[in-house]
Amino acid sequence: IGQEHGALRIVDSTVLVSECAINSHGQYGVSVEGRESRPQLCKNLIVKCKGRGIMIDNTQGVVNLNEICSDGAGILITGGANVEVTENKIRDVRSEGAITFMGASTKGVISRNEITNSTIGLFITAEARPVCTGNSISKCSTGVLISENAGGCLKENTFHHNTGTAVELLGDLDTEVVD
């Protein structure tokens, strides 16, 4: 259990973190940073995090088949990172997005994730440009929120039982929405 910062911090390392149970009362469950990092975070249970479940800053990596429940962002990708986020189950996120991409040059693929019971399903902001395809977003206040010169591609995502807007586009955007 991480107290102040988080449970697991990875800096400039290529590592596989798999089949772990992670919880934290700090800023994150797992933090990955540094241009030399190439982590694979697979099949983990990341719950009871007071901050973000996974935070990835300025690196590349794979986040696959995890189950995440946190008070902050489920997964935060920032700082020009390029990450593949696939087949995760994310629920009960109360602030930020269940999956949040933010920052110039931040990109990647968000594919086949199941997002439920969160304030915002996918939050894309501050010039980020991921490709979002095949995600299921349900029981959220807002399915997808794209703002602040952000963009990317939304393709073949499903939205059901949300209480607010399925897709909300705010400001000057470079976004492609495909049925």
Side-chain angles (χ1 to χ4, degrees):
I1 295 177
Q3 292 298 323
E4 183 179 343
H5 296 291
L8 176 61
R9 183 173 181 225
I10 301 166
V11 180
D12 289 324
S13 181
T14 299
V15 63
L16 169 65
V17 178
S18 183
E19 299 184 26
C20 295
I22 298 169
N23 66 67
S24 171
H25 295 288
Q27 298 172 7
Y28 51 80
V30 178
S31 172
V32 181
E33 53 195 282
R35 291 183 183 193
E36 301 303 316
S37 291
R38 302 289 185 271
Q40 292 183 357
L41 308 175
C42 304
K43 299 180 182 177
N44 298 293
L45 177 63
I46 302 171
V47 297
K48 298 180 183 175
C49 292
K50 295 298 177 192
R52 297 165 172 129
I54 297 173
M55 182 178 70
I56 298 180
D57 185 16
N58 192 29
T59 190
Q60 296 182 38
V62 174
V63 178
N64 180 253
L65 296 168
N66 299 286
E67 184 173 336
I68 302 168
C69 176
S70 69
D71 288 343
I75 301 171
L76 172 66
I77 311 296
T78 189
N82 185 357
V83 179
E84 181 179 320
V85 180
T86 60
E87 300 181 283
N88 299 285
K89 292 183 179 180
I90 305 167
R91 62 182 167 78
D92 301 329
V93 174
R94 296 289 157 234
S95 66
E96 299 176 323
I99 300 175
T100 299
F101 269 67
M102 69 170 32
S105 301
T106 301
K107 56 189 176 181
V109 174
I110 305 171
S111 180
R112 300 179 316 278
N113 297 284
E114 182 181 308
I115 300 168
T116 58
N117 199 34
S118 298
T119 303
I120 301 171
L122 302 177
F123 182 34
I124 302 164
T125 189
E127 300 183 23
R129 286 179 168 59
V131 173
C132 308
T133 181
N135 299 288
S136 173
I137 301 170
S138 65
K139 299 180 184 173
C140 295
S141 297
T142 301
V144 176
L145 174 59
I146 302 177
S147 70
E148 296 183 46
N149 298 314
C153 177
L154 301 176
K155 183 176 180 183
E156 299 174 0
N157 298 286
T158 59
F159 305 91
H160 55 93
H161 297 95
N162 293 299
T163 59
T165 308
V167 177
E168 189 168 350
L169 307 173
L170 302 174
D172 184 21
L173 306 175
D174 179 18
T175 304
E176 177 183 4
V177 180
V178 180
D179 196 5

